[in-house]
Amino acid sequence: MEAKILVVDDEKEIADLIELYLSNEAYEVHKFYNGREVLSYLECETPDLAILDVMLPDMSGFSICQKIRETQNFPIIMLTAKDEEIDKITGLTLGADDYITKPFRPLELIARVKAQLRRFTKYNNLPAQEADPDTISISGLTINKRDHTCTLNEKPLALTPTEFSILWSLCKNRGEVVSSDRLFFDVWGEKYYSSNNNTIMVHIRHLREKMNDSSEKPKYIKTVWGVGYKIE
């Protein structure tokens, strides 16, 4: 069964364009133009990925993203009308996995959708018989790549696919500094540019908040300034 994609944009032309390209890739598209209908939909349905416009007539895409992250970890791509850093940081902080700025190239959006779905499927739906346990434990932190679970002092951490990918990359290279460009390629599969640094920083900050870790005196994720990050 093909993935179900939730598309939310109050500009009908844009929503229809996204639907056309997704349908051409055989995805099942569920399209809405306002937040109220989306929240009703999410009460009884769980998509495999959501594409959320930031600006909606009745509520912001940020509010919908925050609501989703209370219970769900499927990937979220935010659409921003302007190339403003604050919108990107806000979305990532609230749990979005990626963002794309309008106007956008439809094929780029499709590529990002496919990348997020690959990551989500890899870490959530991999059959047990096709994978090794792949478990790493570090000072009370336990992360399992096969079933995409993570606990800290036996308490589960609700991580987005992107957060999980970052933490897994750091854990599998524990004791070593993982450079920003290597970390970005591990997680996003793309070449790193200096403009991507804020993206990594926001996700690291979000991880620290969930782990109750400190950037000044970190127990787990240490920043090596000008180089990258590492877990001792």
Side-chain angles (χ1 to χ4, degrees):
M1 181 180 295
E2 291 295 341
K4 292 191 297 184
I5 310 296
L6 172 64
V7 176
V8 187
D9 198 308
D10 64 329
E11 296 183 68
K12 188 176 185 301
E13 294 80 4
I14 293 179
D16 290 347
L17 178 65
I18 295 173
E19 180 183 30
L20 174 63
Y21 275 82
L22 290 173
S23 297
N24 286 341
E25 297 292 331
Y27 292 123
E28 179 183 335
V29 181
H30 296 249
K31 182 176 59 175
F32 298 93
Y33 305 114
N34 62 68
R36 177 179 53 81
E37 293 180 351
V38 173
L39 295 182
S40 296
Y41 165 83
L42 290 171
E43 289 179 359
C44 54
E45 296 285 347
T46 301
D48 296 292
L49 181 143
I51 300 173
L52 304 178
D53 185 24
V54 170
M55 300 299 293
L56 295 171
D58 53 349
M59 67 178 65
S60 72
F62 296 140
S63 298
I64 298 173
C65 177
Q66 190 172 28
K67 185 68 176 177
I68 290 172
R69 283 293 176 252
E70 291 177 2
T71 57
Q72 301 289 341
N73 286 323
F74 57 78
I76 298 175
I77 298 176
M78 303 296 298
L79 295 179
T80 61
K82 299 178 181 178
D83 189 16
E84 294 185 359
E85 200 69 27
I86 187 63
D87 279 352
K88 299 174 183 178
I89 292 174
T90 300
L92 293 171
T93 299
L94 292 174
D97 298 280
D98 201 358
Y99 53 81
I100 191 165
T101 304
K102 297 179 181 179
F104 57 86
R105 291 173 294 177
L107 291 179
E108 179 184 355
L109 177 60
I110 295 300
R112 290 175 183 246
V113 166
K114 290 181 176 180
Q116 289 295 333
L117 287 173
R118 279 196 302 269
R119 187 176 303 123
F120 187 64
T121 301
K122 178 179 179 181
Y123 289 133
N124 288 274
N125 301 321
L126 200 61
Q129 65 270 24
E130 295 182 8
D132 294 326
D134 288 332
T135 300
I136 298 174
S137 295
I138 305 172
S139 302
L141 174 68
T142 300
I143 185 168
N144 186 288
K145 184 179 179 181
R146 185 194 68 212
D147 55 13
H148 193 259
T149 58
C150 184
T151 60
L152 183 59
N153 297 324
E154 300 183 353
K155 295 182 179 179
L157 292 178
L159 305 180
T160 68
T162 300
E163 291 165 357
F164 185 93
S165 297
I166 291 174
L167 188 58
W168 175 261
S169 181
L170 293 174
C171 286
K172 75 177 181 179
N173 296 291
R174 58 193 180 280
E176 301 177 12
V177 179
V178 182
S179 64
S180 296
D181 56 348
R182 178 181 173 187
L183 186 60
F184 194 84
F185 186 81
D186 280 353
V187 176
W188 282 273
E190 300 175 2
K191 185 176 180 181
Y192 173 84
Y193 296 98
S194 58
S195 60
N196 299 130
N197 191 47
N198 276 340
T199 300
I200 296 176
M201 289 175 61
V202 169
H203 283 296
I204 291 291
R205 186 173 74 236
H206 213 194
L207 271 170
R208 282 174 172 155
E209 290 172 355
K210 291 185 177 182
M211 298 169 68
N212 197 27
D213 203 11
S214 167
S215 59
E216 290 78 17
K217 296 181 179 180
K219 181 179 179 182
Y220 295 100
I221 303 176
K222 180 179 180 181
T223 300
V224 182
W225 294 108
V227 182
Y229 305 89
K230 74 173 180 177
I231 286 184
E232 299 287 2

mmCIF file of all heavy atoms in Angstrom, residues 14-39:
data_model
loop_
_atom_site.group_PDB
_atom_site.id
_atom_site.type_symbol
_atom_site.label_atom_id
_atom_site.label_comp_id
_atom_site.label_asym_id
_atom_site.label_seq_id
_atom_site.Cartn_x
_atom_site.Cartn_y
_atom_site.Cartn_z
ATOM 1 N N ILE A 14 -1.839 25.837 -5.051
ATOM 2 C CA ILE A 14 -0.631 25.163 -4.563
ATOM 3 C C ILE A 14 -0.967 23.766 -4.058
ATOM 4 O O ILE A 14 -0.265 22.787 -4.353
ATOM 5 C CB ILE A 14 0.033 25.994 -3.449
ATOM 6 C CG1 ILE A 14 0.576 27.299 -4.037
ATOM 7 C CG2 ILE A 14 1.159 25.206 -2.780
ATOM 8 C CD1 ILE A 14 1.226 28.213 -3.029
ATOM 9 N N ALA A 15 -2.061 23.660 -3.297
ATOM 10 C CA ALA A 15 -2.467 22.350 -2.785
ATOM 11 C C ALA A 15 -2.762 21.385 -3.934
ATOM 12 O O ALA A 15 -2.382 20.207 -3.892
ATOM 13 C CB ALA A 15 -3.693 22.493 -1.887
ATOM 14 N N ASP A 16 -3.426 21.891 -4.971
ATOM 15 C CA ASP A 16 -3.743 21.044 -6.117
ATOM 16 C C ASP A 16 -2.480 20.625 -6.865
ATOM 17 O O ASP A 16 -2.381 19.487 -7.355
ATOM 18 C CB ASP A 16 -4.680 21.783 -7.078
ATOM 19 C CG ASP A 16 -6.083 21.962 -6.515
ATOM 20 O OD1 ASP A 16 -6.392 21.311 -5.501
ATOM 21 O OD2 ASP A 16 -6.863 22.753 -7.083
ATOM 22 N N LEU A 17 -1.509 21.548 -6.962
ATOM 23 C CA LEU A 17 -0.253 21.230 -7.634
ATOM 24 C C LEU A 17 0.498 20.137 -6.883
ATOM 25 O O LEU A 17 1.005 19.178 -7.481
ATOM 26 C CB LEU A 17 0.617 22.487 -7.740
ATOM 27 C CG LEU A 17 1.994 22.299 -8.388
ATOM 28 C CD1 LEU A 17 1.848 21.909 -9.853
ATOM 29 C CD2 LEU A 17 2.833 23.566 -8.246
ATOM 30 N N ILE A 18 0.561 20.281 -5.552
ATOM 31 C CA ILE A 18 1.232 19.266 -4.741
ATOM 32 C C ILE A 18 0.527 17.920 -4.883
ATOM 33 O O ILE A 18 1.166 16.865 -5.036
ATOM 34 C CB ILE A 18 1.270 19.700 -3.261
ATOM 35 C CG1 ILE A 18 2.135 20.953 -3.091
ATOM 36 C CG2 ILE A 18 1.810 18.571 -2.383
ATOM 37 C CD1 ILE A 18 2.096 21.548 -1.704
ATOM 38 N N GLU A 19 -0.794 17.960 -4.843
ATOM 39 C CA GLU A 19 -1.568 16.729 -4.992
ATOM 40 C C GLU A 19 -1.276 16.059 -6.334
ATOM 41 O O GLU A 19 -1.132 14.824 -6.412
ATOM 42 C CB GLU A 19 -3.062 17.024 -4.885
ATOM 43 C CG GLU A 19 -3.939 15.787 -5.037
ATOM 44 C CD GLU A 19 -5.418 16.118 -5.005
ATOM 45 O OE1 GLU A 19 -5.788 17.234 -5.437
ATOM 46 O OE2 GLU A 19 -6.201 15.267 -4.551
ATOM 47 N N LEU A 20 -1.181 16.840 -7.407
ATOM 48 C CA LEU A 20 -0.928 16.292 -8.734
ATOM 49 C C LEU A 20 0.401 15.549 -8.780
ATOM 50 O O LEU A 20 0.469 14.401 -9.259
ATOM 51 C CB LEU A 20 -0.926 17.425 -9.762
ATOM 52 C CG LEU A 20 -0.540 17.036 -11.202
ATOM 53 C CD1 LEU A 20 -1.545 16.055 -11.773
ATOM 54 C CD2 LEU A 20 -0.438 18.281 -12.076
ATOM 55 N N TYR A 21 1.450 16.180 -8.251
ATOM 56 C CA TYR A 21 2.774 15.552 -8.296
ATOM 57 C C TYR A 21 2.850 14.333 -7.376
ATOM 58 O O TYR A 21 3.473 13.332 -7.724
ATOM 59 C CB TYR A 21 3.859 16.570 -7.929
ATOM 60 C CG TYR A 21 4.308 17.407 -9.104
ATOM 61 C CD1 TYR A 21 3.584 18.524 -9.503
ATOM 62 C CD2 TYR A 21 5.440 17.070 -9.831
ATOM 63 C CE1 TYR A 21 3.971 19.288 -10.597
ATOM 64 C CE2 TYR A 21 5.845 17.823 -10.921
ATOM 65 C CZ TYR A 21 5.114 18.930 -11.307
ATOM 66 O OH TYR A 21 5.500 19.676 -12.389
ATOM 67 N N LEU A 22 2.212 14.408 -6.214
ATOM 68 C CA LEU A 22 2.211 13.257 -5.313
ATOM 69 C C LEU A 22 1.414 12.092 -5.909
ATOM 70 O O LEU A 22 1.833 10.938 -5.809
ATOM 71 C CB LEU A 22 1.618 13.654 -3.957
ATOM 72 C CG LEU A 22 2.462 14.583 -3.083
ATOM 73 C CD1 LEU A 22 1.657 15.017 -1.862
ATOM 74 C CD2 LEU A 22 3.754 13.902 -2.643
ATOM 75 N N SER A 23 0.288 12.413 -6.519
ATOM 76 C CA SER A 23 -0.541 11.369 -7.137
ATOM 77 C C SER A 23 0.196 10.698 -8.287
ATOM 78 O O SER A 23 0.053 9.486 -8.510
ATOM 79 C CB SER A 23 -1.859 11.962 -7.629
ATOM 80 O OG SER A 23 -2.626 12.474 -6.559
ATOM 81 N N ASN A 24 0.998 11.470 -9.007
ATOM 82 C CA ASN A 24 1.785 10.895 -10.094
ATOM 83 C C ASN A 24 2.821 9.894 -9.590
ATOM 84 O O ASN A 24 3.288 9.040 -10.348
ATOM 85 C CB ASN A 24 2.488 11.998 -10.887
ATOM 86 C CG ASN A 24 1.536 12.766 -11.780
ATOM 87 O OD1 ASN A 24 0.444 12.297 -12.091
ATOM 88 N ND2 ASN A 24 1.937 13.966 -12.185
ATOM 89 N N GLU A 25 3.175 10.027 -8.299
ATOM 90 C CA GLU A 25 4.097 9.079 -7.668
ATOM 91 C C GLU A 25 3.340 7.962 -6.954
ATOM 92 O O GLU A 25 3.930 7.185 -6.206
ATOM 93 C CB GLU A 25 4.996 9.808 -6.665
ATOM 94 C CG GLU A 25 5.903 10.857 -7.285
ATOM 95 C CD GLU A 25 6.983 10.260 -8.167
ATOM 96 O OE1 GLU A 25 7.398 9.110 -7.887
ATOM 97 O OE2 GLU A 25 7.406 10.935 -9.125
ATOM 98 N N ALA A 26 2.022 7.916 -7.176
ATOM 99 C CA ALA A 26 1.145 6.871 -6.622
ATOM 100 C C ALA A 26 0.941 6.991 -5.119
ATOM 101 O O ALA A 26 0.575 6.018 -4.467
ATOM 102 C CB ALA A 26 1.667 5.475 -6.975
ATOM 103 N N TYR A 27 1.136 8.189 -4.567
ATOM 104 C CA TYR A 27 0.845 8.392 -3.155
ATOM 105 C C TYR A 27 -0.651 8.659 -2.982
ATOM 106 O O TYR A 27 -1.310 9.210 -3.869
ATOM 107 C CB TYR A 27 1.635 9.577 -2.587
ATOM 108 C CG TYR A 27 3.122 9.340 -2.513
ATOM 109 C CD1 TYR A 27 4.017 10.193 -3.153
ATOM 110 C CD2 TYR A 27 3.635 8.271 -1.785
ATOM 111 C CE1 TYR A 27 5.389 9.986 -3.083
ATOM 112 C CE2 TYR A 27 5.004 8.055 -1.704
ATOM 113 C CZ TYR A 27 5.875 8.911 -2.360
ATOM 114 O OH TYR A 27 7.214 8.694 -2.293
ATOM 115 N N GLU A 28 -1.168 8.289 -1.835
ATOM 116 C CA GLU A 28 -2.564 8.574 -1.481
ATOM 117 C C GLU A 28 -2.599 9.929 -0.783
ATOM 118 O O GLU A 28 -2.043 10.090 0.299
ATOM 119 C CB GLU A 28 -3.103 7.478 -0.566
ATOM 120 C CG GLU A 28 -4.533 7.675 -0.107
ATOM 121 C CD GLU A 28 -4.993 6.598 0.863
ATOM 122 O OE1 GLU A 28 -4.422 5.480 0.827
ATOM 123 O OE2 GLU A 28 -5.893 6.886 1.673
ATOM 124 N N VAL A 29 -3.254 10.906 -1.387
ATOM 125 C CA VAL A 29 -3.216 12.283 -0.888
ATOM 126 C C VAL A 29 -4.504 12.637 -0.155
ATOM 127 O O VAL A 29 -5.606 12.397 -0.653
ATOM 128 C CB VAL A 29 -3.004 13.273 -2.051
ATOM 129 C CG1 VAL A 29 -2.948 14.713 -1.520
ATOM 130 C CG2 VAL A 29 -1.723 12.939 -2.806
ATOM 131 N N HIS A 30 -4.353 13.219 1.036
ATOM 132 C CA HIS A 30 -5.482 13.741 1.811
ATOM 133 C C HIS A 30 -5.246 15.245 1.939
ATOM 134 O O HIS A 30 -4.320 15.678 2.633
ATOM 135 C CB HIS A 30 -5.559 13.062 3.177
ATOM 136 C CG HIS A 30 -5.828 11.594 3.093
ATOM 137 N ND1 HIS A 30 -7.019 11.030 3.494
ATOM 138 C CD2 HIS A 30 -5.058 10.571 2.641
ATOM 139 C CE1 HIS A 30 -6.975 9.719 3.295
ATOM 140 N NE2 HIS A 30 -5.794 9.418 2.770
ATOM 141 N N LYS A 31 -6.095 16.045 1.312
ATOM 142 C CA LYS A 31 -5.852 17.475 1.152
ATOM 143 C C LYS A 31 -6.866 18.303 1.937
ATOM 144 O O LYS A 31 -8.060 18.017 1.919
ATOM 145 C CB LYS A 31 -5.933 17.812 -0.347
ATOM 146 C CG LYS A 31 -5.656 19.243 -0.720
ATOM 147 C CD LYS A 31 -5.672 19.406 -2.241
ATOM 148 C CE LYS A 31 -7.005 18.987 -2.834
ATOM 149 N NZ LYS A 31 -7.079 19.237 -4.289
ATOM 150 N N PHE A 32 -6.346 19.338 2.632
ATOM 151 C CA PHE A 32 -7.211 20.227 3.404
ATOM 152 C C PHE A 32 -6.739 21.667 3.226
ATOM 153 O O PHE A 32 -5.570 21.928 2.946
ATOM 154 C CB PHE A 32 -7.187 19.845 4.887
ATOM 155 C CG PHE A 32 -7.709 18.460 5.164
ATOM 156 C CD1 PHE A 32 -6.832 17.387 5.229
ATOM 157 C CD2 PHE A 32 -9.059 18.234 5.337
ATOM 158 C CE1 PHE A 32 -7.295 16.103 5.470
ATOM 159 C CE2 PHE A 32 -9.548 16.955 5.576
ATOM 160 C CZ PHE A 32 -8.658 15.887 5.637
ATOM 161 N N TYR A 33 -7.692 22.603 3.448
ATOM 162 C CA TYR A 33 -7.385 24.019 3.267
ATOM 163 C C TYR A 33 -7.417 24.814 4.571
ATOM 164 O O TYR A 33 -7.153 26.019 4.568
ATOM 165 C CB TYR A 33 -8.379 24.648 2.282
ATOM 166 C CG TYR A 33 -8.448 23.930 0.953
ATOM 167 C CD1 TYR A 33 -9.605 23.274 0.553
ATOM 168 C CD2 TYR A 33 -7.345 23.913 0.097
ATOM 169 C CE1 TYR A 33 -9.670 22.621 -0.675
ATOM 170 C CE2 TYR A 33 -7.396 23.262 -1.127
ATOM 171 C CZ TYR A 33 -8.563 22.613 -1.510
ATOM 172 O OH TYR A 33 -8.620 21.958 -2.712
ATOM 173 N N ASN A 34 -7.756 24.181 5.683
ATOM 174 C CA ASN A 34 -7.759 24.889 6.972
ATOM 175 C C ASN A 34 -7.429 23.929 8.100
ATOM 176 O O ASN A 34 -7.479 22.702 7.943
ATOM 177 C CB ASN A 34 -9.110 25.565 7.223
ATOM 178 C CG ASN A 34 -10.254 24.567 7.303
ATOM 179 O OD1 ASN A 34 -10.342 23.776 8.241
ATOM 180 N ND2 ASN A 34 -11.141 24.579 6.315
ATOM 181 N N GLY A 35 -7.078 24.508 9.245
ATOM 182 C CA GLY A 35 -6.631 23.705 10.372
ATOM 183 C C GLY A 35 -7.721 22.910 11.051
ATOM 184 O O GLY A 35 -7.487 21.798 11.525
ATOM 185 N N ARG A 36 -8.917 23.465 11.123
ATOM 186 C CA ARG A 36 -10.014 22.781 11.819
ATOM 187 C C ARG A 36 -10.297 21.413 11.201
ATOM 188 O O ARG A 36 -10.447 20.423 11.915
ATOM 189 C CB ARG A 36 -11.267 23.664 11.766
ATOM 190 C CG ARG A 36 -12.504 23.028 12.408
ATOM 191 C CD ARG A 36 -13.686 23.989 12.330
ATOM 192 N NE ARG A 36 -13.907 24.460 10.970
ATOM 193 C CZ ARG A 36 -14.557 23.750 10.044
ATOM 194 N NH1 ARG A 36 -15.033 22.551 10.331
ATOM 195 N NH2 ARG A 36 -14.731 24.248 8.833
ATOM 196 N N GLU A 37 -10.365 21.367 9.879
ATOM 197 C CA GLU A 37 -10.643 20.095 9.206
ATOM 198 C C GLU A 37 -9.489 19.112 9.385
ATOM 199 O O GLU A 37 -9.704 17.905 9.494
ATOM 200 C CB GLU A 37 -10.909 20.342 7.727
ATOM 201 C CG GLU A 37 -12.201 21.109 7.456
ATOM 202 C CD GLU A 37 -12.435 21.339 5.976
ATOM 203 O OE1 GLU A 37 -11.508 21.041 5.183
ATOM 204 O OE2 GLU A 37 -13.532 21.798 5.614
ATOM 205 N N VAL A 38 -8.280 19.640 9.429
ATOM 206 C CA VAL A 38 -7.110 18.773 9.615
ATOM 207 C C VAL A 38 -7.153 18.091 10.976
ATOM 208 O O VAL A 38 -6.917 16.884 11.098
ATOM 209 C CB VAL A 38 -5.802 19.586 9.485
ATOM 210 C CG1 VAL A 38 -4.602 18.719 9.846
ATOM 211 C CG2 VAL A 38 -5.648 20.120 8.084
ATOM 212 N N LEU A 39 -7.444 18.859 12.012
ATOM 213 C CA LEU A 39 -7.479 18.286 13.356
ATOM 214 C C LEU A 39 -8.570 17.228 13.473
ATOM 215 O O LEU A 39 -8.393 16.202 14.150
ATOM 216 C CB LEU A 39 -7.689 19.399 14.392
ATOM 217 C CG LEU A 39 -6.543 20.423 14.511
ATOM 218 C CD1 LEU A 39 -6.851 21.439 15.598
ATOM 219 C CD2 LEU A 39 -5.218 19.735 14.790
#
